Amino acid sequence: MSHKMSQPPSLLNKWIQENNELVNKWKQQEKGRDTVRQDHNQPHLKWCSYEFHKLLGIIQGIPPNSDYTQLELAVVYNAGVCATAQAQFSEAELFLTQAAERVLQVTGGETGASDPLVCWRAVLKSVENTHLHPSVLYLVCLQWAIWLATCQLKTIQEFQEEMPSLFETLCGGVGDGAISEARSKSSNIPLMVMDPRRLIELLQICTSIALGAERLTEGQSSEALTGLQAASSLPAPRALVGYTHLLSGSCLTHMRRPQMALQCYRKALETDSRCVCALYQSMLIYRQLGNTQAEIQALRLLHSTLMLPSATDPALASTHLLSPSSLLCSQSLSSLLSVPSALSVLHSLALKCLLCGRVSEGVEHYLDLLAVLHSEDQQGLHTQDATIPRLPELYLEAGAALLMARRPADCLALCSEVISTTLELLPEKVVLEEPEERREAETRDTEGENRVAMVLWTAAAYLLQGHCHSHLKDWKQAVTHYTRCINLLVKVRLKKRDFQPQFSSADMDVQRGKDLCVLQKLKGLSLAGRGISFTQTDKLKEALRDLQLSLQAFPGIFLCTYRNLSLALCWTQQSSATEYRNLVLPSQPGDKKRMPCHLMNRINFLHPVKRNPLSQQTWINRESKLEHVLRVHSV
Amino acid sequence: AMEGRCAVETWTEFGFLGTSTTPKVRFGTDVFICTGNDEVYVFSTHERKLKASNCFSVKDDLPLCCVSFSLNMTFHSCRAQSSSPDSSSIPAELKISEFLVIEADGVSSLLLVGTVLLTLSQRDSSWLMTLYKTPEQTESSSYEVLGSFSLPLVSAVVQADTESKTSVLICLHCGDTAPLTLPHGHFCLEPVLFKLLFGVEAALAKSPVILCGLPDGRLCFLPLRLPGARLRVLHSIEQPVVFVGASVVTETGPGHSQCLVAMGEQGRVVLIKTEKGRSEDGSSLAGFTEGIVSGPVQCGCLDRNCLYYSTGSDLLLLDLSEGSSGKESKERVEETSRKTLQSPTSLNVSRVVALAEPTSNTSVQLLGLSVRGQLQRISLPARRKDAGLSKLPSAQVGRSIRDLLSAIGDVCERSSVLKTAIKSKNQILRHLNQVVNISFLLTATNNTEDDPAIKEKPIRCHAMTSWSRLLQKDCLNLTCVLDNSSPFVLERGWTLSVTVFPLCCSSTAGEEISSANFSFPFQNLNSGETLEVLLPIAAAGDSSFPMTVNCSLIFSLSSLLGEQEAASSNISLPLNTLTVDWLNALQLNSPTARHKMVTFQPGSITTDPIQAFISSRQIRCSGRADRGAESGSRPEKYSASVRVSSELLKDSLVLKNSNLDPKISLSSLTVHACGPNGATVKLTAKKVGIVFSDELEVQVESSSMTAVCGLHHAVLSRIQVQTHTHTVRLNTIFREVQQNQISGALGVGMTAGQMNPGLLSVYQELRQNPLLII
């Protein structure tokens, strides 16, 4: 090798200097802009990548030469890292294969292996015990990173199995820290844009996380758990360690150990306070356990965390060129780490508060929600998760909340906003299709406006207005609005009548025939409301008629009125004793301790806890709230 | 074609002839022009001079892709990194940021909505709309990504076809929620159309909607402030979208655009409007009207109701308001719109590559940039008030004027017909009012018939008889006079109906009642006027006297209302009944009369027989007894007489009922006359004075039994009428007498002296009105 030193050293030094200059420039840039988000490094990164590529082209312009090989490998590493950071993986892999071939040409190894595993084995073998070995190892690390970034976990696993020793070498201090430190002092040692030791640390934990996520998705929870628990002790950024705890928690949830899962989530939060997913997952567990207070607490925490400005930054922002987020891009992991938007959380919080009786709190949250929706600030709105209900439904929910909080005037305003929006578009008649033909997902995706939904929204708004007026004891207005509601509802024609909602069955598929269910419920509620309004204006005949119709439309609603003693008295006075006996008495609970049917219904509706509990039947919930309002009102 | 020519005024020349890429132009008070490579010019339209040029130059390999301007005139460029600008040449208000704000590949258009900067760029497999939050201070460089929305490409084929990757981005606001001043590229859409196109949620969230036209022809939209919104396809015109805009079209709303217009490179135009009640359930729908104009379209702009577009060789105008005129049926709309789209008007301005909407309100002015780099102001010829007409071809104008004129004629005719109808209806109403008044008047007097002498009908008939000779035959005519003394006018439609029939019909003969009916329609009879009609009632030899003459007024509604409306329903109002008796029918001037003692004038024909009658003196009516005694010398074999006081006779002569002139002579008279049956009669009246000095005996003598009976009956019936009134008077006298007697019998304190004058007066009265006994 020494005879080669006769070659003009200036060229080598020049190239090394050029490389080092580029690296230093990059590091300077990185330091100067460490607070700035990564996006803004992009032009500079591109420039760096371009420059490294150019330099590499110059270096590779001469035939493979062992004197230059180390420099060349360093430049390949730098150019490859830059390319990978820009997600130009094919370009980076091209650098790597070219470099491998050139190394093999220098060392006289066997060239032409197309399989990257075979190729790398050959290269490593050929450079064994030479000074090129560490440099080649770095390139293998880069290859590993590319595999990880392109989610080729199988390849990584094969590689690990085939060359466990290599991995041990890699993991056990390839970098030989002291040496590289010493090297960096010298000017004729080529520098690297990213410390290989950091890269290896990152690769180890990211691989563990990605593998864990993959196994968890495949249902191998216990295997995933062991791997993740082992990874949690690795030296790594806090966020990544947090991920291992988080995923362990998810494994435990799958293994039906909610308390242990909660412990893991707490650990994840302790490790990384910004781990919103852990908060979210614990909230889900509390919900599953039926711990409403804790659930609300968790929701509130989750919301405030999401509202922090840092929450919008990627959790894994790093000053390294290769960020963990670019390495952890598998579908299964991202779905495991997904967290609903702040808006959605706020909505869940509001709804939860309302349903568990914390009305004023719920109202505040609803008002916050509406304020966010109408604020000029676009923050947080541009999420594509569709877990919050459609806007008119949100308005109506907020209206119902306001009414429950005894703010009928505000409720009226919200409802009239909904009505004024939909009024011009209401169809003269609308056909409600057979429940099987339409699904919730389709409903949401249909082009244009769903006419049935529009009618139901408007009708619900009228119903709420009717409730508001009866709350204000303006019975005439109440009758007017209930009548409007009824008039709207009768425009809906049912295409197939064989489907009768079975409200008593607990396992009723609420998804099916949801519109029909809502329609019947609205009919029942509006008729009952009008009936009650009629009793207040001493129109007992009409009242009786409406209440009977209400009973036909939706049996559950009627039960709300049986407690109304004055109403019952009215009937008996009106010599309608038979009606009273037929209608009221059978619905009286025989056992006083038994829960009234409508409450049971409500609980049935609330019960389903799905994978994503935030997208539960808010419609039904709202209707039950209305029912609640009516009940409160009529007693 | 259009009258007058467009005035084109070249303001300045940039001289970028033949650049391959289309220049980017941003019009406003300052016109920014980017030649596509390295230069941006700023031209002030107020000062009409170039403010700055070369203020921005970029590297050759990084072509400036698109430019947009925010309110504070920050200059955004996409792929360009500027060199330091020549600060001296830049206007003070224009600050150009020197840094690269966003680096994104393939950005084809930009739009600024509030503080959000939107970019639309094409990626390998999708279109990507990215939202950036613009910093508050222009010096800061942090353009935070708020979110991005992607839309997959349709296919590689379509993409390969589209060489130019230009896209159009506009922002639409919903009616009332729109800000007062809309920046460039922002439109305020009518609320119903907005909701129909973009959903009620966007309207409820008061969210602006971004509409983008893509080179593959798709029109996509994104509600900006709606959580969970996605970039969705609204429509596709299947050719590169050159222009998207919104136009008012009809000036109903306060500046709300009613029509969304998109234009493709090959000339396909789509108008999107609300169509009311189109769907089967009666609700509104968004209607897409497509049409094709001759392309290639290079650029376009909209004003209130016109679309201007340049094909490079010509600048054309497309009136959009015509399509909205007929809304009766879908076919009609399609028809008219197709017609509209087929006939754009040429403005004869060529080589325009960029256009800006009219800047002034009074006359239409466009700002155009020609392919030679000339910034031009194009003033369209002044349009008439009716904008639709001025743009039509002259043949069409002529036709439409003819149509209009005939329409005006039709309307005039119709209105005059209606006026006449109203007038006639009023007339009829007034007329009917008169009729109703008259009938009320006549029926009201009918009802109070108790005392006909007191209450006489204000409309009544008088009659006179006269003999006339016609065709060697004598006949008796009745002159009937209708006297209208009511305050009302008898107008057209009234008919005087006179029915004449014998008073006593011989039931034994079994023949029909030979009644004769005469109708006299008349036109107008004012208050106080009379109508005289003459009618024959009997020929000589006819002896069916006395005859009753019934007068009535008939109003036929059909004459007034037309036949179909009042189906022969007539109002018949009886007036009064007259009697023509033997006395009336006596013929004194008959050539068969032997005695010429009485001469008569035609005017007193009816008087003379009365006078003659009064003078006749024969007491007994025993015709059979006298017949033999007197038959030898005289033809009068039968006689009848009646005694009557001369006063009563006088009275009976003035009975209004018979309309006889009170020409009486109480001297003894003998009248020879000829009855209607041709028999000679002699009427004698002479004083007898046995009981009362003024007693008269009236004697009828004739050889004809019929004549004697008839005349005797006539005399008696007349006297009876008179005695009827006397009887009434006598009754009152008797009552007074009785009263006096009763009071005399009961009144103890009443002296004989007090009673006597009462009795005396009764007596006197009785004397003055002597009772007549037949």
Side-chain angles (χ1 to χ4, degrees), chain B residues 639-681:
Chain B
S639 67
S641 63
V642 65
R643 282 193 182 192
V644 68
S645 78
S646 61
E647 206 164 329
L648 181 60
L649 194 62
K650 214 193 292 177
D651 279 351
S652 72
L653 291 176
V654 293
L655 277 179
K656 283 170 191 166
N657 209 15
S658 52
N659 282 333
L660 298 176
D661 285 338
K663 284 187 181 174
I664 36 167
S665 149
L666 287 177
S667 63
S668 135
L669 266 174
T670 304
V671 175
H672 294 273
C674 185
N677 58 350
T680 335
V681 289

Side-chain angles (χ1 to χ4, degrees), chain A residues 123-343:
Chain A
V123 173
L124 282 170
K125 203 178 174 187
S126 70
V127 296
E128 226 167 9
N129 302 319
T130 66
H131 69 288
L132 289 176
H133 189 244
S135 303
V136 172
L137 279 183
Y138 301 154
L139 292 190
V140 175
C141 288
L142 187 57
Q143 177 68 63
W144 183 4
I146 292 166
W147 282 333
L148 190 58
T150 52
C151 298
Q152 301 183 45
L153 290 175
K154 286 274 186 306
T155 320
I156 294 171
Q157 274 174 301
E158 273 177 45
F159 200 51
Q160 262 177 333
E161 282 160 18
E162 279 195 29
M163 290 171 281
S165 58
L166 167 70
F167 270 82
E168 275 166 31
T169 338
L170 278 175
C171 303
V174 200
D176 211 348
I179 299 166
S180 62
E181 281 298 310
R183 274 178 178 174
S184 64
K185 296 283 188 284
S186 156
S187 63
N188 54 0
I189 298 293
L191 296 178
M192 304 204 177
V193 283
M194 187 179 176
D195 191 344
R197 286 170 301 161
R198 295 285 93 75
L199 181 61
I200 288 163
E201 278 173 18
L202 205 60
L203 284 173
Q204 272 182 301
I205 193 152
C206 286
T207 307
S208 299
I209 292 168
L211 269 175
E214 201 62 36
R215 284 175 180 151
L216 185 59
T217 320
E218 284 166 6
Q220 305 162 338
S221 303
S222 53
E223 284 173 47
L225 187 63
T226 38
L228 286 165
Q229 276 173 343
S232 63
S233 55
L234 288 171
R238 296 175 79 83
L240 289 175
V241 179
Y243 276 2
T244 61
H245 291 302
L246 175 70
L247 289 177
S248 305
S250 296
C251 290
L252 288 165
T253 313
H254 273 258
M255 294 155 77
R256 300 189 184 179
R257 289 176 192 162
Q259 297 298 343
M260 284 176 76
L262 278 177
Q263 293 291 332
C264 280
Y265 293 143
R266 189 183 299 157
K267 245 187 259 171
L269 271 175
E270 280 165 1
T271 316
D272 178 19
S273 59
R274 293 191 306 177
C275 187
V276 282
C277 188
L279 260 176
Y280 175 61
Q281 293 295 336
S282 4
M283 187 274 291
L284 290 186
I285 286 180
Y286 287 131
R287 182 176 292 174
Q288 207 175 6
L289 295 175
N291 187 347
T292 314
Q293 298 306 318
E295 186 191 336
I296 289 176
Q297 192 70 29
L299 276 170
R300 197 177 290 137
L301 258 173
L302 182 58
H303 180 245
S304 50
T305 315
L306 284 172
M307 290 311 283
L308 289 177
S310 59
T312 54
D313 294 336
L316 299 173
S318 96
T319 54
H320 293 302
L321 238 176
L322 281 180
S323 66
S325 60
S326 67
L327 297 176
L328 293 173
C329 54
S330 77
Q331 196 69 43
S332 48
L333 185 66
S334 59
S335 70
L336 280 170
L337 293 177
S338 68
V339 174
S341 65
L343 267 185

Side-chain angles (χ1 to χ4, degrees), chain A residues 264-493:
Chain A
C264 280
Y265 293 143
R266 189 183 299 157
K267 245 187 259 171
L269 271 175
E270 280 165 1
T271 316
D272 178 19
S273 59
R274 293 191 306 177
C275 187
V276 282
C277 188
L279 260 176
Y280 175 61
Q281 293 295 336
S282 4
M283 187 274 291
L284 290 186
I285 286 180
Y286 287 131
R287 182 176 292 174
Q288 207 175 6
L289 295 175
N291 187 347
T292 314
Q293 298 306 318
E295 186 191 336
I296 289 176
Q297 192 70 29
L299 276 170
R300 197 177 290 137
L301 258 173
L302 182 58
H303 180 245
S304 50
T305 315
L306 284 172
M307 290 311 283
L308 289 177
S310 59
T312 54
D313 294 336
L316 299 173
S318 96
T319 54
H320 293 302
L321 238 176
L322 281 180
S323 66
S325 60
S326 67
L327 297 176
L328 293 173
C329 54
S330 77
Q331 196 69 43
S332 48
L333 185 66
S334 59
S335 70
L336 280 170
L337 293 177
S338 68
V339 174
S341 65
L343 267 185
S344 177
V345 171
L346 187 57
H347 174 249
S348 300
L349 179 59
L351 190 58
K352 200 79 206 174
C353 286
L354 203 62
L355 289 178
C356 73
R358 289 151 82 162
V359 174
S360 59
E361 216 176 314
V363 165
E364 286 312 309
H365 292 314
Y366 269 116
L367 294 182
D368 286 349
L369 191 58
L370 291 183
V372 171
L373 285 174
H374 282 191
S375 70
E376 288 291 316
D377 188 18
Q378 303 289 313
Q379 206 83 39
L381 275 184
H382 302 289
T383 49
Q384 295 201 26
D385 78 306
T387 49
I388 80 163
R390 301 184 71 174
L391 214 53
E393 296 173 16
L394 198 63
Y395 269 65
L396 291 170
E397 276 183 26
L402 283 166
L403 183 56
M404 285 169 79
R406 296 177 192 284
R407 288 166 70 177
D410 297 332
C411 176
L412 280 175
L414 271 181
C415 291
S416 56
E417 193 151 349
V418 172
I419 292 165
S420 67
T421 314
T422 54
L423 201 58
E424 290 157 304
L425 305 175
L426 285 178
E428 278 306 306
K429 64 170 196 278
V430 66
V431 177
L432 185 56
E433 305 264 322
E434 202 179 346
E436 286 82 357
E437 288 171 18
R438 292 182 324 113
R439 296 287 169 135
E440 162 74 357
E442 288 169 8
T443 314
R444 182 130 198 159
D445 287 348
T446 42
E447 290 292 320
E449 214 50 55
N450 185 355
R451 285 153 186 275
V452 178
M454 207 138 64
V455 170
L456 292 181
W457 292 334
T458 317
Y462 278 133
L463 175 71
L464 271 179
Q465 288 194 330
H467 284 343
C468 288
H469 285 299
S470 51
H471 186 89
L472 294 167
K473 305 231 181 301
D474 187 353
W475 303 110
K476 259 189 188 158
Q477 280 293 319
V479 167
T480 309
H481 285 93
Y482 286 130
T483 308
R484 281 179 190 167
C485 175
I486 294 161
N487 288 345
L488 252 181
L489 290 174
V490 295
K491 285 181 184 172
V492 182
R493 311 262 163 86

Side-chain angles (χ1 to χ4, degrees), chain A residues 33 37 39-40 42-43 46 312 343 373-386 388-395 414 417-418 420-430 444-449 451 454 457, chain B residues 100-101 103 105 114-116 131 133 141-150 190-192 195-206 221-230 232-234 279-285:
Chain A
R33 290 199 172 188
R37 296 181 45 184
D39 297 347
H40 299 283
Q42 284 287 334
K46 202 171 180 182
T312 54
L343 267 185
L373 285 174
H374 282 191
S375 70
E376 288 291 316
D377 188 18
Q378 303 289 313
Q379 206 83 39
L381 275 184
H382 302 289
T383 49
Q384 295 201 26
D385 78 306
I388 80 163
R390 301 184 71 174
L391 214 53
E393 296 173 16
L394 198 63
Y395 269 65
L414 271 181
E417 193 151 349
V418 172
S420 67
T421 314
T422 54
L423 201 58
E424 290 157 304
L425 305 175
L426 285 178
E428 278 306 306
K429 64 170 196 278
V430 66
R444 182 130 198 159
D445 287 348
T446 42
E447 290 292 320
E449 214 50 55
R451 285 153 186 275
M454 207 138 64
W457 292 334
Chain B
L100 185 68
V101 290
E103 211 242 9
D105 276 327
T115 57
V116 177
L131 277 64
K133 187 181 167 68
S141 68
S142 60
Y143 270 57
E144 209 179 311
V145 179
L146 286 172
S148 63
F149 302 88
S150 68
E190 187 245 341
V192 174
K195 288 179 217 167
L196 285 173
L197 292 178
F198 312 124
V200 290
E201 287 186 82
L204 199 58
K206 296 174 177 55
F221 71 96
L222 172 79
L224 203 55
R225 271 182 225 152
L226 192 64
R230 290 182 296 117
R232 291 202 293 180
V233 179
L234 180 70
S279 70
E280 65 280 357
D281 54 17
S283 57
S284 298
L285 280 182

Side-chain angles (χ1 to χ4, degrees), chain B residues 464-468 474-477 537-543 545-546 579-593 598 600-602 604-616 660 670-684 698-702 704 706-712 714-715 718:
Chain B
M464 282 174 289
T465 48
S466 63
W467 283 95
S468 66
D474 292 315
C475 63
L476 183 65
N477 292 331
I537 51 169
D542 187 0
S543 60
F545 286 94
T579 308
V580 179
D581 53 19
W582 273 82
L583 274 173
N584 296 115
L586 282 181
Q587 195 178 15
L588 293 182
N589 56 344
S590 163
T592 54
V598 179
F600 46 86
Q601 295 89 29
S604 59
I605 38 167
T606 49
T607 319
D608 291 342
I610 304 299
Q611 285 173 336
F613 156 71
I614 287 167
S615 354
S616 66
L660 298 176
T670 304
V671 175
H672 294 273
C674 185
N677 58 350
T680 335
V681 289
K682 192 175 116 187
L683 281 168
T684 322
V698 179
Q699 192 178 28
V700 182
E701 281 176 278
S702 173
S704 162
T706 320
V708 172
C709 285
L711 277 173
H712 190 231
V715 170
R718 288 190 189 200

